[in-house]
Amino acid sequence: MVEASILQNMVDYASLGSKDVALDVGAGLGFLTRFLANKCECALAVESDAKLVKVLREELKNLSNIKIIEGDVFKVHIPQFNKVVSIPPYNISSALLLWLFRQNLDCAVLIFQKEFADRLVASVGSGDYGWLTVVTYHHVEVEILDGVPRWMFCPQPEVDSVVIRLKPKKPPPFILKSETLFKQLTQSLFTHRNRKVRNAIVPFIGITCTANVKSAAKTIESLPFLDKRVRELAPEDFGVMANALVE
């Protein structure tokens, strides 16, 4: 990112204050990290590329409130933080999002590929509506704030991007008995998005149901929404189905 105004906007959108600890995933050359350090108590700069880590340590050595962490954000120990402000590598977007859902956050301000962000806010039944939309809806409010054209990066990517802000939903819009099963069910059903639930759920039940075929069929018939197509189900509907399978 070579457009300083976007970096400043991201800091402003996160409402960083002197007591905040901000996480920057994929810190790169440290341009955004430097902006964070000027506003918060501590900035945690995570970078997996050893060459870039060396640059970060040299370029940011005069800022005492920056902690540089070398390694994979999903594998290394990360000190406690309450906000995320980051331009993460696009190839970890889904994994990072799911990881963030498990953290105790006040907010996250991120730059994602526009097509990816569109999936997070897609309406029920639309082409972009999918399992990630449903799981995201359960965890966070998503705001798309700024467009980020490709020329703001060097080198330029092949896609345009957007700045988004995530705020955890407390309490969540519906209660789940098993978040793991909810995610697995939703992912499985959306592999057959145009089928009716009655048919789309058969592979999932076949994998998760250890009983015989007769018992599996009985389980399916006990579920709601069987005659709806998967793409027509609201996020709450997936929650109802997941909870029914836990019982």
Side-chain angles (χ1 to χ4, degrees):
M1 168 58 63
V2 293
E3 177 54 51
S5 65
I6 291 292
L7 303 180
Q8 184 60 60
N9 286 350
M10 294 179 72
V11 171
D12 293 343
Y13 289 141
S15 300
L16 287 181
S18 59
K19 295 183 179 180
D20 290 322
V21 177
L23 175 66
D24 182 5
V25 180
L29 297 173
F31 299 141
L32 177 58
T33 311
R34 187 180 293 274
F35 274 81
L36 302 181
N38 290 333
K39 288 288 186 177
C40 64
E41 178 183 359
C42 179
L44 307 174
V46 181
E47 178 53 60
S48 61
D49 187 314
K51 293 180 181 178
L52 290 177
V53 169
K54 185 177 180 180
V55 174
L56 283 171
R57 290 194 169 125
E58 178 62 29
E59 292 297 319
L60 304 176
K61 63 184 179 183
N62 295 326
L63 294 170
S64 60
N65 65 334
I66 292 178
K67 181 177 178 60
I68 298 170
I69 302 167
E70 182 176 358
D72 184 332
V73 68
F74 306 128
K75 298 178 181 178
V76 297
H77 171 70
I78 308 291
Q80 189 172 355
F81 58 92
N82 67 308
K83 294 184 178 180
V84 177
V85 185
S86 173
I87 310 172
Y90 289 169
N91 65 336
I92 67 166
S93 296
S94 295
L96 180 64
L97 200 63
L98 296 174
W99 183 81
L100 290 176
F101 294 160
R102 301 193 297 271
Q103 312 306 314
N104 184 22
L105 288 180
D106 292 334
C107 74
V109 176
L110 306 153
I111 289 183
F112 279 145
Q113 181 178 337
K114 183 181 183 302
E115 289 183 3
F116 181 82
D118 288 342
R119 291 167 57 196
L120 305 185
V121 297
S123 56
V124 176
S126 67
D128 287 328
Y129 185 62
W131 73 267
L132 196 60
T133 320
V134 173
V135 174
T136 298
Y137 175 89
H138 178 254
H139 287 280
V140 293
E141 295 280 357
V142 182
E143 300 172 84
I144 296 182
L145 300 169
D146 289 335
V148 183
R150 61 194 75 184
W151 59 262
M152 289 185 174
F153 291 91
C154 184
Q156 288 189 26
E158 296 180 358
V159 297
D160 291 323
S161 306
V162 291
V163 179
I164 71 165
R165 179 166 56 201
L166 309 177
K167 289 187 177 180
K169 291 180 176 177
K170 297 179 181 180
F174 50 91
I175 302 300
L176 294 173
K177 295 178 181 179
S178 170
E179 289 194 14
T180 299
L181 188 139
F182 169 70
K183 174 176 168 287
Q184 291 173 342
L185 171 67
T186 305
Q187 286 181 308
S188 177
L189 286 175
F190 268 104
T191 61
H192 310 285
R193 60 180 292 116
N194 294 319
R195 290 187 184 180
K196 290 187 176 181
V197 171
R198 181 185 304 279
N199 300 317
I201 201 169
V202 170
F204 182 78
I205 295 297
I207 293 171
T208 58
C209 185
T210 57
N212 56 37
V213 174
K214 185 176 179 181
S215 177
K218 186 176 179 181
T219 298
I220 292 173
E221 288 305 316
S222 70
L223 294 173
F225 315 118
L226 291 179
D227 291 322
K228 273 193 168 185
R229 299 197 183 277
V230 171
R231 67 173 187 272
E232 298 171 341
L233 297 176
E236 290 86 353
D237 298 338
F238 287 95
V240 170
M241 293 182 65
N243 287 343
L245 288 171
V246 174
E247 294 174 351

